[in-house]
Amino acid sequence: MADSGTTSGPELLVVLSHRAGTPLRGQLESALRGAVRDGRLASGQRLPASRVLAADLGVSRRLVVDVYDQLTAEGYLTARAGSGTWVSDLAVAADSAPDADDRTELPSPRWDLRPGVPSLAHFPRQQWRRAWLSALSGACDADLGYPQAAGHARLREAIAAYLNRVRGVAATPSTTLICAGFTQGLDLLCRTLRAGGARTVALEDPGLPHRAPIIRRAGLTPLPVPVDADGLVVEALPERGVDAVLTTPAHQFPTGAVLAPHRREALLAWAGRAGALVLEDDYDGEFRFDRRAIGALQGLAPNAVVHLGSTSKTLAPALRLGWLVGPPPLVDRLVEGKFLSDHGAATLDQLALTEMIGSGAYDRHIRQTRARYRAQREALEAAVLRHQVPLRLTGVPAGVQTLAALADGHDPEDLVRRAATAGIALDAVTRYQLAPGRPARSLVIGYGNITPHGIDGAMAALARVMDRGPTARSAAPHAESRARRRGERRPRAGRVRDSVRVEGAV
Ligand SMILES: Cc1ncc(COP(=O)(O)O)c(C=O)c1O
């Protein structure tokens, strides 16, 4: 059990968010009952304080108190005066939950630390609903016909102004195209570039796994280019034969590096010499925690850079709303591609986003979630230290994921497999690597869709998994330290704490 005494947030969150539409009270009740029955909440385990769970789940405290009372009355939980609510012995005996060791299949992850999603439980449902209804009642008949392939004029205007203001992008409505996320933007770009004679697209290695298949499917050759602490290694780009390079300058995915000023300059100079385009994937540019975000590269060279972004991190990936901003002749060809691909994005969703931006609700939501992700990142840093997990977080504090270098001899893929058996889902960086021969001993940890309490529980569990690992000898100092804290050995000051460093702390 986590030291905080709170371990149940994440799985409850998942259940609540997946079953929207049924009353929250019923959802929470059955989630808790189910967790007690199948042993995820073990006999004698303390539940989070009602205030804490209410904050985690974004529901009222009253609702949590009522649910605890109900399940106490049913015998699943026991209330102990002054010390909170616990899973009762009776419940487990009655339901005879299987012992974890008896299970032959992997449990579904209790702690999901895979990168890629924002906090889905905090999607602004009310604001989106309000914006969508207002879009529906405000839409004229013509809005219900086929959409403009480039995107609704009002959304293009709103996005262009937003990108100007928030990301320093040189955008106008006519250089802005609305598409189904970054993914469709990249697909349209690759097909359009190929149709214009392009052959090769360079891309950062490591990076998002599905970029190379998109590039290949368009008939282009992906060329992996390494990344270091200053972002894309521009010097590794060939002087000839590359038509475009795909990069994440504000926050390299997944290493967390920021493209250094000298590299930004060198990249634009290279693009000029090579006659190549820079494709700027600005997937989480709004979320920097230690300083104002670095402005978009596109603002420096609007004719050489195509800027891509989406609502997948700011709102939710399910919306499939994104945009790209590029030089006018190229955007015209992309609009043609968009038309041929799907005739344009769903108009009512576009108008709802326009409403959210226009009313200020979009900005407010981003401000709130930025504070949330910052707290989650800090919780991860604190949990790594508290549980002496031999990991070193690298990259700037930004976004919803971080690279975590393994500070001892653990093999990342083996560790990911063993972590999965303990209910922790995370990725090895090898999943994101393209070129063999550049193995990095790191994990990629997503902290966007898990509560601070869940993060703490996950790190405690990961520390236990690493203690038991095949490389337990090199992890021994950490194991020893944990044993000391449990009072099993006399402490020897300083030794372990010195070996765990967190870079880029907020
Ligand atoms: C590097 C990177 N680019 C782009 C995206 C967003 O893609 P889309 O807008 O298609 O959802 C993500 C989302 O996880 C990402 O990690």
Side-chain angles (χ1 to χ4, degrees), residues 116 180-184 208 248 253 281 283 310 312-313 317 320:
F182 156 83
T183 302
Q184 190 187 37
L208 202 63
T248 45
F253 183 90
D281 175 6
Y283 68 105
S310 78
S312 291
K313 292 285 187 289
R320 307 314 301 138

Side-chain angles (χ1 to χ4, degrees), residues 41-229:
L41 288 175
S43 158
Q45 188 168 334
R46 191 168 135 218
L47 287 172
S50 53
R51 180 183 37 80
V52 172
L53 186 58
D56 281 359
L57 299 177
V59 299
S60 75
R61 187 178 178 192
R62 183 75 250 155
L63 186 147
V64 175
V65 169
D66 284 354
V67 168
Y68 279 7
D69 283 351
Q70 175 68 25
L71 295 183
T72 302
E74 290 177 14
Y76 286 88
L77 306 179
T78 310
R80 294 183 197 162
S83 79
T85 306
W86 303 72
V87 178
S88 69
D89 294 339
L90 189 80
V92 174
D95 288 304
S96 59
D99 188 318
D101 292 338
D102 291 335
R103 293 180 195 160
T104 47
E105 286 182 10
L106 284 184
S108 61
R110 175 174 181 177
W111 297 286
D112 198 341
L113 298 169
R114 286 170 294 192
V117 274
S119 178
L120 302 178
H122 292 95
F123 177 75
R125 289 171 191 255
Q126 290 303 334
Q127 292 89 327
W128 181 257
R129 186 168 176 273
R130 216 174 291 133
W132 203 91
L133 289 176
S134 157
L136 179 64
S137 48
C140 60
D141 288 353
D143 284 333
L144 301 176
Y146 281 104
Q148 278 185 283
H152 199 286
R154 284 180 49 212
L155 180 57
R156 282 187 286 129
E157 200 176 310
I159 291 288
Y162 170 82
L163 292 175
N164 249 293
R165 173 168 61 82
V166 174
R167 302 294 301 127
V169 175
T172 66
S174 63
T175 59
T176 303
L177 163 69
I178 306 302
C179 48
F182 156 83
T183 302
Q184 190 187 37
L186 178 63
D187 187 49
L188 292 173
L189 272 161
C190 289
R191 288 166 189 268
T192 304
L193 292 176
R194 180 71 195 103
R199 295 190 163 279
T200 304
V201 173
L203 73 176
E204 293 169 341
D205 185 13
L208 202 63
H210 64 269
R211 299 158 311 154
I214 290 173
I215 292 168
R216 260 189 229 106
R217 205 168 73 112
L220 295 159
T221 304
L223 178 75
V225 178
V227 166
D228 65 15

